Amino acid sequence: IENLTPGTGVDADLDGLFIVDDAITLDSIRFESTTTGDANFTFSQQTAQSAPVEPIGNERGVDAFGYFTLNHTIPDSAVENVSFAFSARWSYLDANGIDPAEVRLLRYGTDGWTILKSDRLVGTAERARFTVDSPGLSTFAVGVRTSQFVTADARVSPRTIQVGETATVTADVANRGAIAGQTTVTLTRN
């Protein structure tokens, strides 16, 4: 990008860079620069294994589809008011049981992963479209908010029973995810 001017918005059409094959793509970026001059940007698509930062853990309540990094030649402090547009094929969302309202963009910063609010735009017959504002550039992940159930502290009372007697089994089941959901807890013997 040539001739950056402080306070002037820069729009870059990214022509559908693959985040997850052609199923989820980064379509455009808009930002303002606080510096003058030229800047080079590079985009790299990544997986949880190849991302240059820690992958998103289950504690965030988000399952990541794919990761990407935007590297640039100007200081992080010189990039403001970043806005991304990305899209997902409806067929991909439907095949994976994904509610578009739960799709999120996450940004990796000094405090780890932050979930950014994604706004869904009017899409096309083929793609759902999203926009999201970010405080800057970094490594990002596109994912879906999920329910994540954890079962712990299973207890049997009484611990010993004879043929024909009954026992009570209790357990703590917690949803540590980001949205409500249902689960089935299975009890197995031995």
Side-chain angles (χ1 to χ4, degrees), residues 42-114:
T42 57
F43 168 89
S44 60
Q45 171 194 30
Q46 293 136 351
T47 64
Q49 294 76 26
S50 67
V53 298
E54 65 185 80
I56 296 171
N58 288 342
E59 71 279 357
R60 293 280 180 209
V62 175
D63 286 338
F65 307 129
Y67 297 78
F68 66 93
T69 300
L70 283 168
N71 293 309
H72 48 89
T73 58
I74 57 177
D76 288 338
S77 60
V79 179
E80 295 181 335
N81 302 320
V82 179
S83 180
F84 293 103
F86 65 98
S87 64
R89 274 190 293 118
W90 285 110
S91 58
Y92 177 84
L93 298 175
D94 291 342
N96 290 286
I98 297 167
D99 178 353
E102 302 304 335
V103 172
R104 295 292 185 269
L105 186 70
L106 294 89
R107 178 181 183 269
Y108 193 83
T110 56
D111 295 332
W113 287 103
T114 302

